[in-house]
Structures are given as structure tokens and as C-alpha cells.
Amino acid sequence: MRRLIGIHAVTAALRKTAKGSAAIERIVIARGSRNPRLQEIVQECRRLGIPVRFEPTRAVGRLARTAAHQGVVAQTSARSYAALEDVLADAPEQCMLAVLDEVQDPRNLGAIIRSAEAAGAVGVVVPERRSASLGPAAAKAAAGALESLPVIRVKNLGRGLDELKRHGFWAYGLDAKGKADFDRVDYQDRCALVLGGERRGLRAKVAERCDFLVRIPMEGSVPSLNVSVAAGIALFEVGRQRRQGERAIGKL
């Protein structure tokens, strides 16, 4: 993840982000600053939906690694995010998305992006807050998949799922408490596989928005799988069912 330090550099990056040619993960501003140019940066971040954190001046200096930071540091990602409406506009009638509820390890995020691209997904959806960024660790784990698979960042994951449903998607949440095995479910033409974060899995308010909760049956003593492994298993199950359906149609 790159750091941009100072008012001029951050303002220039915001202009590029507004045009879609850059991606700012978050901006950190010195708490208590009254500089009007910093207030303009805060207002532009709100307009663009970029998270802003206010920290003590000393903490901003540690992040910037210099005292000449002018009270602001921006953290940028390796790739820019896609807009949900743009991905949905191009999505075919039969497609799948991976939706990640607070996956915070960048290596897990990158591995899921890699599996999603290989399984034929049209994108990966992440929330604006409490999600790993598209920094170097995620890019390395994605092994090139970031070049071809859109990663979509939404302000609120629940509202993002509501938007997907308005476009004909059915949401399948992977949860140990799910009543059906993941490979005994018929996935709809447009499906969103929803996976929870490393610590607590699916949050209750996200699980409530899922049309189905499915589980991956565990035979051993370990109670759960790494989220990137679970994502790969579920994504390729959807692909397997669809290939099987295509073969069945071909025999008619």
C-alpha cells in the first residue's frame, strides 16, 4: 500500500480518484486541525465515499514517517475498485459474485479473488469498512487475477445485497449453522455467495439478508475452514452444477 503525504499530493490523488484513475483506501487527518484545505479534503472524501480517520498528530507523523505531513496522509490501493452498477450493467443472466463480510486478512482476500476469477465469477464485493485493502499482499495472493476480475466496494454490505436482489440475484450465505449442505442446493442463475470474516463469520444482520444459509459439512475435529478455502469450494460447486446443467441440455 502506498502512502501519499501532504495536502498537495492528497488533493491530486482525490482528483484522480474522482475520475476513476486512482484508488484511495482511506485518509488519515490530524485531529483538531483547523486548516481549511484539510476541511476541503474531508468534504471531498465524503462526496466520494472514502473513509476518513482522525488521529493525534503524533500518530499521523508515525504513519507518514516524516514530520512534514501537513496533517494528512492518504493510503492508496494496488488497484482501483469497480462500481457495483457498472458490473451489474454488464453481468449476464447466469453469473455469480462472491460477497465478503469483513474479510480482513489481505492474503485471504487475494486468494478469494484468485479462486473467484478461476471459477468464472463476475466480481468480488467488499464493504468499505473493516475489509482488507487491495494492497501488495492481496495483489500477490491474487496471482494476477486483479487484472481481470472487478473488486467492488460498497458503503454498506446489507444495502449492497438489497441492490443485488433488485437485479435478480439470490444470496447464499455460508454458515456453520446452515440447514442445507452447500452441494445439495440448486443455485439460481444469478447467485451471490456470501462469506463471513475470519473472526466471527457472517454477521447476524448480513445473514438475515441471505435467501439461504448453507454449510460445508465437516468430518474432522476442526470446526471450520479458512474463509478462502471455503470460498473456493463453494465457487467451484456452483461452476460444477452449471457445467452439469449444460451437458444435460446438450443431450436433449
Side-chain angles (χ1 to χ4, degrees), residues 26-110:
R26 64 184 59 86
I27 286 179
V28 181
I29 289 179
R31 189 178 296 149
S33 174
R34 296 176 181 246
N35 187 325
R37 295 183 66 191
L38 290 180
Q39 296 304 315
E40 291 174 4
I41 287 174
V42 172
Q43 291 173 8
E44 183 66 2
C45 287
R46 288 173 178 162
R47 187 182 75 82
L48 296 173
I50 296 170
V52 177
R53 234 173 42 215
F54 295 92
E55 299 283 356
T57 300
R58 185 175 296 180
V60 177
R62 285 197 300 268
L63 180 63
R65 298 174 185 170
T66 176
H69 50 69
Q70 298 180 300
V72 61
V73 178
Q75 296 174 297
T76 64
S77 60
R79 296 283 294 180
S80 58
Y81 292 95
L84 181 59
E85 56 267 26
D86 292 340
V87 174
L88 292 177
D90 295 331
E93 283 306 308
Q94 188 180 79
C95 61
M96 63 178 165
L97 285 162
V99 179
L100 309 184
D101 180 21
E102 297 188 353
V103 171
Q104 298 186 39
D105 187 324
R107 292 165 296 184
N108 282 337
L109 174 60

Side-chain angles (χ1 to χ4, degrees), residues 31-236:
R31 189 178 296 149
S33 174
R34 296 176 181 246
N35 187 325
R37 295 183 66 191
L38 290 180
Q39 296 304 315
E40 291 174 4
I41 287 174
V42 172
Q43 291 173 8
E44 183 66 2
C45 287
R46 288 173 178 162
R47 187 182 75 82
L48 296 173
I50 296 170
V52 177
R53 234 173 42 215
F54 295 92
E55 299 283 356
T57 300
R58 185 175 296 180
V60 177
R62 285 197 300 268
L63 180 63
R65 298 174 185 170
T66 176
H69 50 69
Q70 298 180 300
V72 61
V73 178
Q75 296 174 297
T76 64
S77 60
R79 296 283 294 180
S80 58
Y81 292 95
L84 181 59
E85 56 267 26
D86 292 340
V87 174
L88 292 177
D90 295 331
E93 283 306 308
Q94 188 180 79
C95 61
M96 63 178 165
L97 285 162
V99 179
L100 309 184
D101 180 21
E102 297 188 353
V103 171
Q104 298 186 39
D105 187 324
R107 292 165 296 184
N108 282 337
L109 174 60
I112 292 169
I113 292 169
R114 182 178 184 177
S115 294
E117 198 275 341
V122 296
V124 173
V125 180
V126 299
E128 184 178 275
R129 299 182 183 274
R130 298 187 182 89
S131 174
S133 66
L134 295 180
K140 182 177 180 181
L146 274 174
E147 300 300 321
S148 54
L149 186 73
V151 178
I152 304 139
R153 187 164 68 176
V154 295
K155 279 191 174 184
N156 181 283
L157 203 62
R159 289 198 290 270
L161 285 170
D162 291 342
E163 182 66 16
L164 289 176
K165 290 184 180 185
R166 283 193 286 271
H167 284 78
F169 280 81
W170 291 68
Y172 299 80
L174 267 70
D175 193 293
K177 299 176 183 177
K179 295 182 178 180
D181 288 351
F182 79 105
D183 56 352
R184 299 298 179 93
V185 172
D186 291 327
Y187 295 94
Q188 298 294 321
D189 281 348
R190 287 192 157 193
C191 71
L193 295 173
V194 190
L195 297 107
E198 295 88 354
R199 292 186 178 181
R200 53 180 177 173
L202 282 182
R203 290 174 295 159
K205 60 184 180 181
V206 173
E208 288 170 1
R209 278 184 160 92
C210 293
D211 300 295
F212 303 95
L213 291 180
V214 299
R215 64 177 182 267
I216 297 175
M218 307 292 293
E219 300 294 340
S221 59
V222 177
S224 64
L225 293 170
N226 173 279
V227 62
S228 67
V229 174
I233 290 171
L235 286 161
F236 277 90

